[in-house]
Amino acid sequence: MTAPERPAQDPATAPAPTPTATSPSGEHGNNGNNGNNGKNGHNGNNGVHGEKGESAKPTGLVRSLTPRQTTMIGLGSALGTGLFLGSGSAISAAGPAVILSYAIGAVLVAVIAVLLGEMSAAHPVQGSFGAIAHTYLGPWAGFVTRWTYWFSAVVVIGTEVVASALYIRWWWPGVPMSAAILAVAAVVLAVNVINVKSFGTTEFWLSTIKVTALCAFILCAAFLVFFGLPDTPATGFAHLTDDGGFMPQGAKSVWIAMSVVMFAYAGFEVVAIAAAEATDPQRSIRTAMRQLAWRLSVFYVLAITLVVALIPWRRLAAGDGSVEASPFVRVFSDIGVPAAATLTNMVVLIAAVSAANAHLYGASRLLHSLGDDGLAPAPLARLTSRGVPANALAASTLGIAAAALLAFYDIGGIFGILMSIALFAVLLVWLLILASYIAFRRHRDTHPEEFTGFSVPGGSKLAVVAGVGVLAVAATAVEVPDMRQAAGIGLAFTVVLLACYALTSLRRARRT
C-alpha cells in the first residue's frame, strides 16, 4: 500500500500522512525538530497530523510507565468482577462447555492483542489505535474508533462503580447508594489526576492483589478437585459430564455463550493506549501484550474449568451474582479461610476499583487526543503541568457518574440502551483495529526500512481470521436478544457518529 497523501490543510478532511516508525519523533511529526515540533507533537508521543517545521507545543504526556506497570494495567482493565463472582449467564447458556467458549475467546483475544501490540510498538502515539486508524483507514475511522471506545469505556466504568458501591454497602448498608457511587468515582479520579506515575503505581498494586487472589483461588480449587479434604472427598471432573453431558445445551451453545464470554476479555486495549506514556514503548508493549495474552487465557480458562468442576453447573447458572454465592466464598470456606465472604468482598471491591481506574485512564487519553485533533471541544486537549489531561478526566468522570446513577436507578430503561451501545462498541473497535492492522501491515511490508521492532509472522492472515471470529460473535444476534438489541442500537449510534464527523469536517473546511 502506498503512503497516504499529506493533507493540504485540515487533518479532519483527509487521511493523515504515513508515520515514520524509526524516528523517535511523534507520528506524523517528521522534520519538526525531531518530532517535538510537529503539530500536536506532545513529547513525541503523538505528533499526529503535524506539518513539517511547525512550532512546538509544550511538552505533553509524560513517559513514566514501566514495562511491569504496563502489563498490570492491561490485567487490571481485563480482570473485572465477573470472574470473581461467577459467570452465571455464560454457564447457563452452555453448561460445562462454556470452558470451550472461554478457550476460543482467549485465542481470539490473544491474536488481536498481539497484532495491536505490533502496531502500537511501531507507533507509540497519543490516541493509540484511534490515531493509527486515522492514518491507515482515514480520519473518519479515527473519529469513530476513539468516540466509540470512549463511550463504551464510560458505560463499563459506570457498571464497575456501581459494583464497587454495592460492595461498600455490603459492609456499611446505611451508606446512601448515590453517595457511595460518587465517592468511588472521586477516588478513581484522584488517582488519575495526580500524574501518570501515580496511576501506574496504584494500578500495579491493585492488579497485583487481584492476580494474587486469583492465583490463590486456582491453587485452592485445584487442591479440592484433585485431593479433597479429610472430610470432603475430591470432586474430580465428574461435574463436567454428570448432568446432561459436557454439552447439555448442544454444540451451538458454545457459540451462543460467546456473546457473553467475549466481553469478559474487553479492556486489554488500555495497554496500547499506555504506549504513549511508557518509558520504553517497544519493549513495554511487546512484553505486555504477549504476557497479557497468555495470562488472561490461563486465568480465565483455568478458573472457569475449576469452578465448573467444583460446583454443579446448574447451581452456578442459578447464582444471583452476590458475594455470598461467589465460587471464591465456597472454595475459601472449604479450605478453612476465616471470614471467607469478607475476604471475597474485599477482593471484588479491589477488582472493580482497579478495572474502573484502568478504564478511566484509557478513556481520558482517547478523549484528550480527540480534543487535540480538533474532533472534540478544545479544552479537552489541555494538560496540567504534570502532563495530565485533567479536563478530559473530569469530563469522563462526569459521564461515569451519570452512567453509574442510571445503572442503579435505570430511569426509563436508559441504561439498557447505553449497555447495548457499549457491547456493540467493543466489537466495532476490535474490527477497526484489525482493519487498521491489515492496512498497516501492507505498508510495513512495502516500506520495511521505515519500521523497527517485532513483526508477527503471517499477521495479515491472522487479522482476517480474527475478524471472521469477531463477526461470528456479532452474528449471535440471530439467537441472542441482547445482542440483537445491541446490533440495532449500536448501528444507529455509529450512523450518528459518522454524521457528527461529517458535520465537524464541514465546519472545519469552511474555516480554512
Side-chain angles (χ1 to χ4, degrees):
M1 183 180 118
T2 56
E5 295 295 328
R6 180 181 295 275
Q9 297 288 340
D10 192 340
T13 58
T18 300
T20 301
T22 55
S23 168
S25 66
E27 186 176 3
H28 314 160
N30 300 332
N31 299 320
N33 192 23
N34 296 328
N36 293 323
N37 288 346
K39 183 180 179 182
N40 304 342
H42 287 316
N43 199 26
N45 294 330
N46 189 18
V48 179
H49 330 314
E51 298 298 336
K52 179 177 177 179
E54 290 193 15
S55 61
K57 286 187 177 183
T59 298
L61 298 178
V62 179
R63 292 193 179 275
S64 58
L65 295 175
T66 66
R68 288 196 311 163
Q69 289 174 334
T70 305
T71 301
M72 298 307 278
I73 287 168
L75 285 173
S77 57
L79 291 175
T81 57
L83 184 60
F84 295 91
L85 295 179
S87 302
S89 55
I91 293 171
S92 66
V98 75
I99 296 168
L100 296 179
S101 301
Y102 273 97
I104 294 168
V107 172
L108 182 55
V109 166
V111 171
I112 299 173
V114 172
L115 298 183
L116 177 57
E118 180 186 340
M119 282 198 303
S120 301
H123 305 310
V125 297
Q126 173 187 294
S128 185
F129 46 84
I132 295 171
H134 179 118
T135 301
Y136 291 103
L137 299 180
W140 68 269
F143 182 90
V144 170
T145 300
R146 283 178 280 185
W147 272 116
T148 301
Y149 181 89
W150 180 84
F151 187 92
S152 174
V154 164
V155 174
V156 170
I157 300 167
T159 64
E160 296 289 1
V161 168
V162 168
S164 301
L166 288 171
Y167 303 143
I168 290 172
R169 281 165 53 90
W170 188 83
W171 281 312
W172 300 290
V175 175
M177 189 65 189
S178 56
I181 286 173
L182 294 175
V184 174
V187 167
V188 294
L189 173 62
V191 169
N192 275 269
V193 82
I194 298 172
N195 56 44
V196 71
K197 186 175 181 180
S198 166
F199 159 76
T201 301
T202 302
E203 188 58 34
F204 175 84
W205 288 111
L206 289 176
S207 296
T208 298
I209 294 171
K210 224 175 0 179
V211 170
T212 301
L214 190 53
C215 289
F217 169 77
I218 290 172
L219 290 174
C220 293
F223 188 86
L224 293 175
V225 168
F226 290 105
F227 303 106
L229 295 170
D231 56 347
T232 306
T235 61
F237 293 97
H239 287 323
L240 299 184
T241 56
D242 64 3
D243 187 0
F246 184 67
M247 292 184 180
Q249 315 280 29
K252 189 168 76 170
S253 66
V254 175
W255 168 59
I256 292 175
M258 296 290 291
S259 65
V260 177
V261 166
M262 287 308 300
F263 300 104
Y265 291 107
F268 67 89
E269 310 89 354
V270 176
V271 173
I273 297 172
E277 293 170 275
T279 53
D280 183 358
Q282 287 258 346
R283 177 189 166 207
S284 294
I285 299 306
R286 180 179 66 249
T287 302
M289 284 302 192
R290 288 177 177 174
Q291 290 189 3
L292 191 64
W294 74 259
R295 286 184 182 182
L296 282 178
S297 303
V298 169
F299 287 151
Y300 272 101
V301 176
L302 258 183
I304 292 297
T305 300
L306 292 170
V307 164
V308 177
L310 275 172
I311 304 171
W313 71 269
R314 291 189 190 278
R315 193 193 308 173
L316 289 167
D320 59 4
S322 67
V323 171
E324 289 81 0
S326 167
F328 270 59
V329 175
R330 154 76 190 275
V331 170
F332 289 148
S333 295
D334 286 353
I335 289 292
V337 175
T342 298
L343 175 63
T344 300
N345 192 66
M346 183 184 71
V347 170
V348 293
L349 174 59
I350 290 172
V353 171
S354 170
N357 190 42
H359 279 296
L360 177 58
Y361 168 81
S364 65
R365 265 49 181 184
L366 289 197
L367 187 59
H368 164 252
S369 75
L370 282 164
D372 206 51
D373 288 350
L375 301 176
L380 296 174
R382 293 174 188 162
L383 298 170
T384 68
S385 59
R386 298 181 299 275
V388 175
N391 290 343
L393 276 169
S396 299
T397 304
L398 286 174
I400 291 162
L405 292 170
L406 285 172
F408 184 70
Y409 296 107
D410 198 19
I411 303 168
I414 294 175
F415 188 74
I417 296 174
L418 298 183
M419 273 305 298
S420 294
I421 296 173
L423 293 176
F424 179 85
V426 170
L427 299 181
L428 179 60
V429 167
W430 286 350
L431 285 172
L432 288 170
I433 287 172
L434 293 168
S436 300
Y437 179 85
I438 292 171
F440 155 79
R441 190 57 184 262
R442 285 176 182 167
H443 181 74
R444 180 169 190 163
D445 291 344
T446 306
H447 305 280
E449 71 283 354
E450 295 182 4
F451 297 89
T452 59
F454 76 100
S455 176
V456 179
S460 295
K461 294 179 181 178
L462 286 174
V464 172
V465 172
V468 171
V470 174
L471 290 173
V473 175
T476 58
V478 175
E479 299 282 345
V480 182
D482 286 348
M483 281 297 290
R484 192 155 50 246
Q485 175 176 300
I489 297 175
L491 285 171
F493 179 74
T494 304
V495 170
V496 170
L497 275 182
L498 289 171
C500 290
Y501 169 73
L503 291 173
T504 300
S505 299
L506 182 63
R507 175 176 57 82
R508 297 181 67 182
R510 286 175 176 172
R511 288 181 180 178
T512 59

